[in-house]
Amino acid sequence: MTLDPARPHRRYNPLTGGWVQVSPQRMGRPWQGEVSAPDPLPPAYDPACYLCPGNARVGGEANPPYEGVYVFANDFAALADAPGGAASDDPLLRAEASGGVCRVICFSPDHGRSLPRLAPPQIRAVIDTWADQTAELGARFAHVQVFENKGAMMGCSNPHPHGQVWATAHVPQEPAQEDAMQRAWLAEHGRPLLLEVAEREAEGERVVAINDDWLAVVPFWAAWPFETLLLPRFPVARMPDLAPGQRDSLAAILKALATRYDNLFRTSFPYSMGWHGAPFVEGPSDHWQLHAHFYPPLLRSASVRKFMVGYEMLAEPQRDLTPERAAQMLRSADALVHYAD
Ligand code: H2U
Ligand code: ZN
């Protein structure tokens, strides 16, 4: 590759077909993550939290005194199990009915402990829940989206560690795009795209965390400053297909990655993360590799965020910090000891 990474260039995202503008010359000044006082963490129990064990939710129903992972039907579901809504094939005003299910997944009864501060067996229990939800809903729906919105900066309503699962009868836009791109890659190159990415990246400068089964990298084409892609180093299309040992090693790398994120700016690192796996539809899924995306908004400190505005909204995403430099900064943050412990 004859790319000079110090000069402006564009990088291609083979998963979406999109491009990102990289402008590293704008990073001329030395990069110093502002060292701020560590953010205070929430208490273990908050009587006003609608996710804590025993507390009432907004709809009036009370949570049981749960001790592990707890799943409930979202009281304000965005999708209805019995799809309504009129379809329209008017070419200008096209619409279709969409049905589905929305659930909330509390990771732990402890209001103050987010993923990196859970013990590996507790993270493993979250992974098992993700897999079980995916299997159960995948029997009825084409796509199961597991995700976590974390932090007020991402519009998350509550610090209690939790994620969501939405299942839909249709395959939504992002996974549909990835489906088409991975299918075309396999047809052209004879190997699954993300297996090739995992192999190419394993020894490289964009690694953030790695173990025998998993790899977390800042992808070559990352748009968000500290975006990462979590990839299996073995073929697997969907979360329920993970073997017990692969779930344990996933718990380990999730803990390492999330600890590095939190330690980077000594804050509970905000992000949206979620899993993409093969849709539950007829036909082969050998082009698919299960993976997770982490999209954190922070740029320079616990309070300075990257805005995707202006050029990003009207032309294409742009970044100053190179993915290689972002990976190096994340690697230099401690993966073992969380700043709060
Ligand atoms: P966030 O993860 O984006 O904060 O969303 C939390 C979800 O919890 C949100 O979808 C649901 C909201 O509808 N919720 C309930 O189901 N019951 C409640 O009592 C409050 C919040
Ligand atoms: Zn709580």
Side-chain angles (χ1 to χ4, degrees):
M1 183 164 65
T2 54
L3 176 69
D4 177 355
R7 296 176 58 85
H9 58 276
R10 294 167 82 213
R11 297 189 186 191
Y12 177 69
N13 181 340
L15 249 191
T16 63
W19 289 82
V20 56
Q21 170 68 43
V22 185
S23 311
Q25 80 286 1
R26 305 213 320 172
M27 289 285 308
R29 67 198 156 77
W31 182 283
Q32 228 137 41
E34 200 175 279
V35 182
S36 41
D39 276 353
L41 293 175
Y45 172 75
D46 177 355
C49 169
Y50 53 73
L51 298 180
C52 276
N55 290 3
R57 295 208 302 273
V58 177
E61 202 180 323
N63 297 317
Y66 66 95
E67 290 176 352
V69 181
Y70 169 56
V71 181
F72 64 90
N74 196 311
D75 298 307
F76 307 95
L79 303 157
D81 206 346
S88 155
D89 49 16
D90 178 325
L92 278 182
L93 306 171
R94 212 173 129 185
E96 62 181 24
S98 61
V101 161
C102 300
R103 294 176 182 162
V104 178
I105 304 173
C106 298
F107 295 165
S108 140
D110 189 327
H111 183 84
R113 266 180 200 272
S114 60
L115 210 62
R117 297 185 65 236
L118 295 181
Q122 294 174 295
I123 301 177
R124 167 68 197 269
V126 173
I127 293 165
D128 287 340
T129 304
W130 287 339
D132 293 348
Q133 291 289 319
T134 302
E136 181 209 320
L137 292 166
R140 290 167 53 206
F141 295 100
H143 179 70
V144 183
Q145 184 61 58
V146 168
F147 66 99
E148 177 187 5
N149 262 344
K150 180 164 170 274
M153 204 176 265
M154 293 309 290
C156 178
S157 54
N158 186 328
H160 195 112
H162 70 282
Q164 300 190 40
V165 54
W166 294 22
T168 49
H170 61 279
V171 180
Q173 171 167 303
E174 293 281 329
Q177 184 87 346
E178 292 191 351
D179 182 65
M181 297 301 288
Q182 290 178 96
R183 190 187 303 277
W185 185 279
L186 181 67
E188 191 181 337
H189 301 271
R191 302 204 56 219
L193 167 65
L194 291 180
L195 209 46
E196 284 206 35
V197 173
E199 282 174 16
R200 281 277 283 275
E201 293 288 347
E203 307 299 330
E205 54 183 345
R206 286 175 291 274
V207 172
V208 174
I210 187 165
N211 61 30
D212 286 348
D213 294 330
W214 300 90
L215 173 68
V217 289
V218 179
F220 177 74
W221 54 82
W224 291 93
F226 295 99
E227 175 178 336
T228 54
L229 185 59
L230 179 52
L231 295 170
R233 303 179 68 191
F234 53 92
V236 61
R238 301 181 182 96
M239 184 116 50
D241 301 334
L242 294 175
Q246 295 164 339
R247 297 179 185 206
D248 286 334
S249 54
L250 175 56
I253 201 163
L254 276 171
K255 188 169 170 73
L257 174 62
T259 302
R260 288 210 147 122
Y261 269 148
D262 277 15
N263 283 339
L264 181 64
F265 298 137
R266 304 215 296 166
T267 192
S268 182
F269 211 71
Y271 56 66
S272 277
M273 72 80 70
W275 287 94
H276 285 151
F280 292 88
V281 294
E282 295 287 311
S285 55
D286 49 346
H287 54 297
W288 260 96
Q289 272 292 82
L290 172 73
H291 60 276
H293 299 276
F294 284 77
Y295 298 125
L298 290 179
L299 174 61
R300 193 171 302 142
S301 70
S303 55
V304 178
R305 60 164 294 159
K306 160 80 181 169
F307 285 100
M308 288 285 188
V309 296
Y311 193 81
E312 282 88 347
M313 292 180 90
L314 289 153
E316 65 192 20
Q318 182 269 335
R319 61 181 298 141
D320 300 344
L321 175 71
T322 62
E324 294 72 32
R325 179 82 180 103
Q328 187 188 59
M329 289 172 67
L330 282 168
R331 277 197 310 271
S332 66
D334 199 314
L336 294 177
V337 183
H338 189 276
Y339 72 87
D341 290 321

